[in-house]
Amino acid sequence: MPFSPRAEVPLVPPSVQQEIARLAALPETRSAFAWLRAEESQFAIRQLEMARIPAPPFGEAARSEWLQEQFRALGLEDVHTDEVGNVFGIHARPLTKPVSAKQYTALSAHIDTVFPAGTPLNLRQQGNRLYGPGVSDNGAGVAALLAVAAALRATTVSLATPILFIGNVGEEGEGDLRGMRHIFSQARWKDSIRYSLILDGAGSDTIVAEALGSRRFEIIVRGPGGHSWSDFGMPNPILVLARAIYSFSQTSLPSSPKTTFNVGVIRGGTSVNSIPESASMRVDIRSTSMAEMERLEASLRRALEHAVEEESRVSQRRTASQKRASGLSHEIVPIGNRPAGELDGNARILKVIRAVDAHLGNAAQIQRASTDANIPLSLGREAIAIGGGGVGGGAHTLQEWFDCTGRDLGLKRILLTLMALAGVAEG
């Protein structure tokens, strides 16, 4: 999850700073903070336990079952899994009366990894460091999710509105945010989640408040194929892609908002002396502006159309009169669509997290990135993504690691933010 900084940040009102100071001074808050510090060894055990369960894209079922068991053991209510594998549990105690709709504060962490089925999951611990695929992304996020749920159960923190705990699927790669997308398409949740606090990876030094959008395509070109000598002149799908790439690469880009494109994969052909029957490429377009992504997509489509037309014309000239060149066909298949969005600078969730950071003496930068927060942000909802504390590295590699040192700062940050968003019950 690469980050880029965001510009101007409004000042935090003194009233919000005072609210956070008051919450942090409550005896039950201090008790919860002490409990979080004391239980670190248990958090590490749970983090390793989960990371040992495979959760490849579209294969998160075993981890969903494990998380359901954890939610039930922590006393969460209405624990269940939805149609796509998202796991839910509600902390509503010690509420004594029903709450109205639109009053859930959601705390979520994605449970999937980038690693395909069959990847060796050699997890281990050396001192304060945990090693292995997925141990930080998103082992750190899920460990923090469970730690906060456990802290609420173990202490006397009394919230005015319920917390919705979510372990969602489909954040990574071609999962294309399918878990969070499904949640916000459901009537039960889309109109009742007021705030979304999303835990993604390690660290306490970022606040993702701007959703970096992306569109991804697989482009496939097909032709008749043939022998490089005897069938010379027949249309060549690889040449079509080459022409399209060159033309698309000339597309102008704005300096602001930052907008990028990449051709990341090219495939095609069977041998050096064969005209390929097909060729394909995968293209990634990114921007914080939906309009810019649409403009680049249109440019990509035009470049491909022109490349097909040009290769067809050239092929007709090259082909001997006794041979008639067969036509080309092409298709553009969307393989990813992450919407862009931006949190209003005056949003309460942003004021709260910045006031929490100021109170804890924590330096954090507001960033833009592609996370589960893209979905609620694109719908105009209040959402941010932050880390689960500690320090991590080597994400998306077999050498991934997580250092537990300082995790309690991240957990305090999460808990205090939740308390401010959900409200603390009076009396």
Side-chain angles (χ1 to χ4, degrees), residues 33 36-37 203-205 356-357 359-363 387-390 404-416:
F33 284 179
L36 289 169
R37 282 194 303 272
S204 302
D205 57 348
V356 167
D357 283 332
H359 180 83
L360 296 175
N362 181 54
C404 304
T405 306
R407 192 207 300 260
D408 65 305
L409 171 62
L411 298 180
K412 291 176 184 177
R413 186 184 188 220
I414 296 163
L415 180 60
L416 200 50

Side-chain angles (χ1 to χ4, degrees), residues 127-179:
N128 286 330
R129 283 210 172 190
L130 315 180
Y131 294 89
V135 74
S136 181
D137 184 12
N138 193 27
V142 177
L145 181 80
L146 294 173
V148 170
L152 290 173
R153 185 191 190 200
T155 60
T156 58
V157 173
S158 179
L159 301 177
T161 57
I163 305 295
L164 175 63
F165 287 87
I166 306 172
N168 63 279
V169 299
E171 192 274 343
E172 298 285 11
E174 292 178 20
D176 202 31
L177 309 181
R178 68 187 178 93

